[in-house]
């Protein structure tokens, strides 16, 4: 393993991945700089690993960027040295229906995956700022919002790309579009991507309308709790109620809140 020491984004890279790790380290440092005005950002470790090094350290499937975050054990983001061909082809296959609707994507699948490392970094920041509530869709939505807000301030050209990817993904057709279904695992790749598209488009709309207003409100309400976060979100952004309704289960299904909690219990 090769090491790229840094006080804020220390990196480790498998043999042959040093240049890639250095470029991604710079990318995350740009996001960090944008987020510093809102609060302290602790070190987040970047791991750029070959498949063998990956499998020796984590049980997560090799390919997609992901984060492993704990204030006690440290904040880590993982990215492969090279994306497996099977993953790239699977992404291309899943995206075909959306591409037919809206046209060519803003880049190649590996561009999307590299860009999405910023989303995983945002998860780590959310943990540090006590914004994680362990309701999957809310944690994903908040991470998307943080990621896009940082991109808009630090790397506007990549912000535009991220929005374009979100608009493309939002054109997919999920098998289960309700937010309560998002809490159940595993989910089909098309569903995961569709939800990410929806979260990206909505987060982008909130940023364009009120810039960082939602983040400032969330930080004032921190630490967020699983039971109270829905009320906090609606208090800060009343318009989210109408957006939540778009993900409601069919009428003959039990009525639940977006977190999967019966509405009677969450009101």
């Amino acid at each position: 393993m090769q090491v790229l020491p840094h006080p804020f984004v220390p990196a480790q890279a498998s043999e042959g991945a040093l240049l890639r790790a250095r470029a991604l380290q710079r990318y995350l440092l740009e996001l960090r700089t944008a987020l510093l005005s809102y609060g302290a950002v602790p070190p987040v470790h970047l791991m750029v690993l070959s498949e063998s090094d990956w499998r020796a350290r984590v049980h997560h499937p090799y390919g997609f960027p992901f984060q492993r975050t704990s204030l006690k054990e440290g904040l880590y983001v993982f990215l492969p040295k090279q994306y497996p061909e099977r993953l790239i082809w699977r992404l291309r296959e899943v995206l075909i229906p959306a591409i037919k609707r809206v046209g060519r994507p803003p880049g190649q699948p590996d561009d999307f995956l590299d860009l999405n490392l910023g989303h995983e970094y945002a998860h780590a920041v959310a943990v540090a700022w006590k914004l994680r509530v362990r309701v999957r869709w809310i944690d994903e939505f908040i991470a998307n919002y943080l990621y896009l807000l940082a991109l808009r301030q630090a790397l506007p050209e990549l912000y535009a790309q991220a929005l374009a990817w979100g608009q493309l993904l939002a054109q997919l057709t999920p098998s289960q579009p309700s937010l309560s279904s998002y809490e159940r695992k595993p989910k089909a790749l098309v569903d995961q991507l569709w939800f990410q598209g929806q979260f990206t488009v909505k987060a982008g709309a909130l940023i364009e309308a009120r810039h960082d207003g939602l983040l400032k409100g969330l930080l004032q309400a921190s630490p967020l709790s699983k039971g109270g976060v829905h009320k906090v979100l609606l208090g800060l952004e009343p318009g989210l109620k109408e957006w939540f309704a778009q993900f409601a289960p069919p009428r003959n299904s039990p009525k639940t809140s977006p977190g999967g909690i019966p509405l009677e219990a969450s009101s």
Side-chain angles (χ1 to χ4, degrees):
M1 295 290 292
Q2 302 175 84
V3 177
L4 287 171
H6 196 281
F8 307 128
V9 184
Q12 294 183 52
S14 296
E15 185 177 355
L18 191 62
L19 291 179
R20 175 164 165 75
R22 187 173 284 119
L24 293 166
Q25 187 183 53
R26 289 195 297 268
Y27 169 48
L28 296 185
L29 285 168
E30 293 276 9
L31 301 185
R32 180 184 185 276
T33 299
L35 293 173
L36 271 177
S37 60
Y38 303 102
V41 180
V44 178
H45 299 260
L46 170 64
M47 310 291 287
V48 184
L49 304 177
S50 66
E51 187 164 3
S52 60
D53 286 337
W54 182 292
R55 295 192 184 283
R57 288 164 175 77
V58 295
H59 298 295
H60 197 279
Y62 186 69
F64 279 106
F66 82 101
Q67 47 80 27
R68 188 173 66 187
T69 49
S70 165
L71 290 179
K72 182 181 294 186
E73 299 177 6
L75 307 173
Y76 290 82
V77 290
F78 291 78
L79 195 81
K81 172 184 173 181
Q82 185 174 3
Y83 296 110
E85 277 297 315
R86 62 185 181 276
L87 173 59
I88 298 300
W89 281 106
R90 178 64 180 137
L91 276 172
R92 286 177 175 151
E93 179 184 39
V94 168
L95 290 173
I96 285 173
I99 291 171
K100 287 180 178 179
R101 292 189 182 104
V102 301
R104 295 181 61 182
Q108 296 300 318
D110 51 349
D111 298 326
F112 165 70
L113 293 169
D114 276 0
L115 191 60
N116 216 44
L117 179 66
H119 168 90
E120 302 303 330
Y121 181 78
H123 271 295
V125 175
V127 169
W129 289 351
K130 295 181 170 55
L131 301 181
R132 182 169 69 175
V133 297
R134 298 191 183 280
V135 176
R136 288 186 65 223
W137 79 262
I138 292 177
D139 290 339
E140 291 298 321
F141 175 72
I142 289 176
N144 257 24
Y145 174 82
L146 284 176
Y147 154 61
L148 288 174
L149 186 63
L151 277 180
R152 188 175 187 266
Q153 295 182 24
L155 299 162
E157 70 283 0
L158 294 185
Y159 169 73
Q161 285 185 33
L163 285 181
W165 278 110
Q167 290 159 1
L168 178 68
L169 299 179
Q171 293 299 313
L172 294 169
T173 302
S175 61
Q176 293 182 303
S178 69
L179 289 174
S180 57
S181 77
Y182 191 76
E183 300 305 301
R184 299 192 291 270
K185 298 181 180 181
K187 294 196 68 62
L189 178 59
V190 65
D191 287 8
Q192 295 178 46
L193 294 174
W194 180 80
F195 274 110
Q196 182 169 353
Q198 298 297 324
F199 298 161
T200 298
V201 170
K202 187 59 179 178
L206 292 175
I207 290 168
E208 293 301 320
R210 291 189 56 224
H211 186 46
D212 56 6
L214 177 59
L215 175 57
K216 289 179 177 178
L218 291 174
L219 290 173
Q220 287 182 350
S222 173
L224 299 181
S225 67
K226 185 175 183 179
V229 67
H230 187 218
K231 183 177 180 179
V232 169
L233 285 171
L234 290 182
L236 294 170
E237 293 288 348
L240 285 174
K241 184 175 182 179
E242 183 177 349
W243 184 65
F244 293 158
Q246 298 175 20
F247 301 91
R251 285 181 175 270
N252 59 352
S253 299
K255 292 183 178 180
T256 60
S257 73
I261 304 167
L263 285 176
E264 291 79 5
S266 63
S267 60

